[in-house]
Amino acid sequence: MNKTEFFKTYGHLLVKVNEDDASTGDYMLYYPEEKQIAKDYLDNGYMVASVFEVENEEDNVLLDNDISNAHHKIGLLILNK
């Protein structure tokens, strides 16, 4: 689903992982740079969603609990259970 749909559906579960980051906002971790932070959350029972860049469209988000490498993955979102 695209980012707008994802935020409408799961926005109330998002965990604030950054404070006023101009590039990612408060909720997205850079991938792969901040993958370890996402792993720590995952290991502590949180859910992880992957953000994929889509050319000429809104980014797609997949609630997959997967921090491994994937083509076009640009970020990770952390969600409460």
Side-chain angles (χ1 to χ4, degrees):
M1 75 179 56
N2 68 33
K3 248 188 195 178
T4 300
E5 294 166 340
F6 185 86
F7 274 72
K8 283 181 184 175
T9 304
Y10 298 105
H12 64 286
L13 296 175
L14 288 170
V15 174
K16 193 173 188 176
V17 293
N18 288 314
E19 187 66 44
D20 297 325
D21 186 302
S23 299
T24 62
D26 294 335
Y27 301 101
M28 190 170 90
L29 296 170
Y30 282 113
Y31 185 84
E33 295 90 339
E34 297 179 303
K35 182 169 98 171
Q36 184 59 46
I37 296 170
K39 182 184 181 319
D40 293 343
Y41 276 104
L42 194 58
D43 290 346
N44 285 301
Y46 290 82
M47 298 182 290
V48 175
S50 299
V51 180
F52 296 92
E53 185 175 42
V54 179
E55 192 170 326
N56 299 324
E57 292 182 32
E58 189 173 359
D59 296 339
N60 284 330
V61 182
L62 179 62
L63 184 55
D64 56 2
N65 291 319
D66 183 9
I67 60 169
S68 65
N69 293 335
H71 194 59
H72 296 293
K73 187 184 287 191
I74 59 168
L76 299 163
L77 300 168
I78 308 300
L79 296 89
N80 285 303
K81 290 192 242 181

